[in-house]
Amino acid sequence: MSGASETRAPKPGPLNGFEETVKDFWGSRPRRPHGGRKVAGVAAAIGNRYGLDPVVVRVALVVATIFGGFGVTFYLLGWLFLPGESDDVSGFEGLIGRGRSSVSPAFAVVLSILTVVSVGGSFSGSWFDGGGLISFALLGIALYLLHRSRGHENRPAPVTPRSQQYTAFTGNGAFTMTDTATAEAKSPASPQGWDPLAADPAGWDLPDAPSYQEPPPPAPPKAFKAPEPRRRSKVGSATFGLAVVTAGAGVLANLNGVTWFSAQHVIGLVLGVVGLGLVTGAFVRGGRGLIGLAVPLAIVGMILTTVPFQNFDFRGGAGDLDLTPAAATDVKPLYQHAAGDIDLDLSKMPVGSPITTNVVNGAGNSTITVPDTADVTFDCRTGAGTADCFNRTTDGISQDALTGTDYGADGVGGQKITLHVSNTVGDVEVRRG
């Protein structure tokens, strides 16, 4: 044995657990190679890092795209967070000033926006119900298990940041270099009459050596001039003001009946304004603080897109409503609420003229109680939650509406009631009292 051993990183094992494995994965992320890439080199990076054929990775991403669309999101995340082969940091880290990356700040902003949009499309798309969640879970688990089993192999060598090289110049713009031997030979202090051949100095008839002249003194160095401080860009302030105006205009339009300006559309418009500000700031060196606004907006937008908020608007109050109309004339055509539970009891009304009412709730549970003998035509739906109307039930996200007519135990001939109940998030129940 030579006594020299190869230093290898410890293999993540059961003792270091999930958190340590994730930290080790981030510290030894795959690097996108220059060669063998098809688009950005994400599949090639994962294949090289864990000893897989990149074709296998590409096939997995295509399958994940077909069943839920998350393969595109996964690729964009890799493009954004995996550094290039010769980069110091990833594109996102370069965007926030952590180091040098071949992904420009402007393109990193574009990738971030595309990632948020693709996440929303993955979770709310109709290609395959639940496919976004399933493909997300499978890809995440596969990557985690790969790192647990092969993370100690093919670890990328750390890239040393390029050091700054400073050059010291003299006043005349050239390096000062002195040949010691030559200087000593020319120096007047050298001993005179020394003969390396030990001959009689009187026997030599040599021309006198030229007199030595001192070089002119170097010019004094120029005074160091500190760079002027960079002027603060107004891109961030202008973008923030425009985003506030956009949000206010959207909410105002919704309150005035323009239903297109729903919560997710308003968030999307504001996020678009912030994204344009980030792109502009990347060119004029400003607006970096907008990232702190874009990230929470992106998270909120992803939630609003994941949980269907098609019917959510800002009209109506907040809090619980407990309503018991005493007569058909007391029943309003619309009960609309932004947040809170709605409990509408119609069971105490005497038989009278037909009733039609709509119950629209943003976030909360809606319960409608009708008389035992009423003939009820109903339309019940919820974006996320459980709908239970006359013992017919749906549960989950984006389920079809429950529609039909229930005549009660006595059959046809009771009070005519038409109900349209719509919740964005929360349970819906129509029952007999």
Side-chain angles (χ1 to χ4, degrees):
M1 296 180 62
S2 62
S5 60
E6 181 183 359
T7 303
R8 297 191 355 176
K11 177 181 178 180
L15 296 179
N16 17 36
F18 175 81
E19 182 178 357
E20 286 75 10
T21 302
V22 173
K23 288 181 179 179
D24 185 73
F25 168 79
W26 180 258
S28 61
R29 285 169 290 171
R31 290 187 171 271
R32 298 181 290 109
H34 296 308
R37 60 168 62 182
K38 299 300 181 182
V39 181
V42 175
I46 296 175
N48 295 342
R49 175 70 174 87
Y50 299 110
L52 300 174
D53 189 336
V55 175
V56 176
V57 182
R58 296 186 182 108
V59 170
L61 293 176
V62 170
V63 173
T65 301
I66 295 174
F67 294 97
F70 198 82
V72 174
T73 305
F74 188 88
Y75 198 92
L76 291 173
L77 287 172
W79 198 342
L80 194 58
F81 288 100
L82 297 183
E85 189 174 18
S86 58
D87 293 346
D88 296 340
V89 295
S90 63
F92 183 81
E93 292 170 301
L95 175 64
I96 60 178
R98 295 292 182 85
R100 180 187 58 83
S101 175
S102 58
V103 178
S104 67
F107 191 63
V109 171
V110 174
L111 286 176
S112 301
I113 296 174
L114 291 176
T115 301
V116 173
V117 173
S118 66
V119 168
S122 299
F123 286 109
S124 63
S126 58
W127 294 342
F128 178 69
D129 276 345
L133 290 172
I134 294 173
S135 60
F136 171 78
L138 291 178
L139 287 174
I141 292 172
L143 191 59
Y144 175 79
L145 293 178
L146 274 175
H147 193 76
R148 293 284 289 183
S149 60
R150 303 184 181 186
H152 60 292
E153 302 174 356
N154 303 323
R155 297 177 70 89
V159 175
T160 304
R162 296 180 181 179
S163 60
Q164 298 290 337
Q165 295 182 354
Y166 300 95
T167 306
F169 290 92
T170 61
N172 57 6
F175 282 107
T176 301
M177 300 183 66
T178 304
D179 188 342
T180 304
T182 305
E184 290 181 352
K186 291 182 178 181
S187 173
S190 299
Q192 299 296 325
W194 176 75
D195 182 7
L197 300 179
D200 182 7
W204 290 92
D205 186 12
L206 298 176
D208 295 335
S211 60
Y212 174 75
Q213 296 181 354
E214 291 286 343
K222 296 182 180 180
F224 174 75
K225 184 178 179 181
E228 296 182 0
R230 186 178 62 185
R231 291 183 299 175
R232 186 174 181 180
S233 174
K234 296 182 180 180
V235 172
S237 301
T239 303
F240 181 78
L242 185 58
V244 172
V245 171
T246 302
V251 173
L252 185 62
N254 181 276
L255 294 175
N256 283 275
V258 184
T259 57
W260 185 87
F261 287 95
S262 58
Q264 66 270 35
H265 285 163
V266 173
I267 293 293
L269 289 173
V270 175
L271 187 59
V273 171
V274 174
L276 289 176
L278 285 171
V279 173
T280 305
F283 288 102
V284 300
R285 297 179 179 271
R288 183 170 295 177
L290 293 173
I291 297 175
L293 179 61
V295 171
L297 278 176
I299 294 174
V300 173
M302 184 178 65
I303 294 174
L304 291 178
T305 309
T306 303
V307 179
F309 277 77
Q310 288 86 351
N311 301 319
F312 186 85
D313 57 34
F314 302 96
R315 291 173 289 180
D320 296 339
L321 294 180
D322 192 352
L323 308 169
T324 307
T329 55
D330 296 333
V331 179
K332 296 179 179 181
L334 174 64
Y335 295 95
Q336 187 165 14
H337 212 46
D341 295 340
I342 298 177
D343 191 346
L344 179 61
D345 188 355
L346 305 177
S347 63
K348 304 299 189 294
M349 294 189 309
V351 177
S353 58
I355 298 171
T356 299
T357 186
N358 295 267
V359 179
V360 179
N361 199 357
N365 301 324
S366 299
T367 304
I368 296 88
T369 306
V370 299
D372 289 334
T373 58
D375 297 345
V376 182
T377 300
F378 59 91
D379 177 354
C380 304
R381 69 182 68 219
T382 181
T386 300
D388 185 354
C389 299
F390 301 107
N391 299 322
R392 294 174 58 189
T393 305
T394 62
D395 186 18
I397 298 176
S398 298
Q399 297 297 317
D400 294 334
L402 297 175
T403 60
T405 302
D406 190 271
Y407 299 104
D410 63 337
V412 180
Q415 171 73 51
K416 304 295 185 182
I417 299 178
T418 301
L419 289 175
H420 301 283
V421 188
S422 178
N423 270 31
T424 301
V425 177
D427 297 337
V428 171
E429 182 181 7
V430 178
R431 64 190 181 189
R432 295 188 179 274

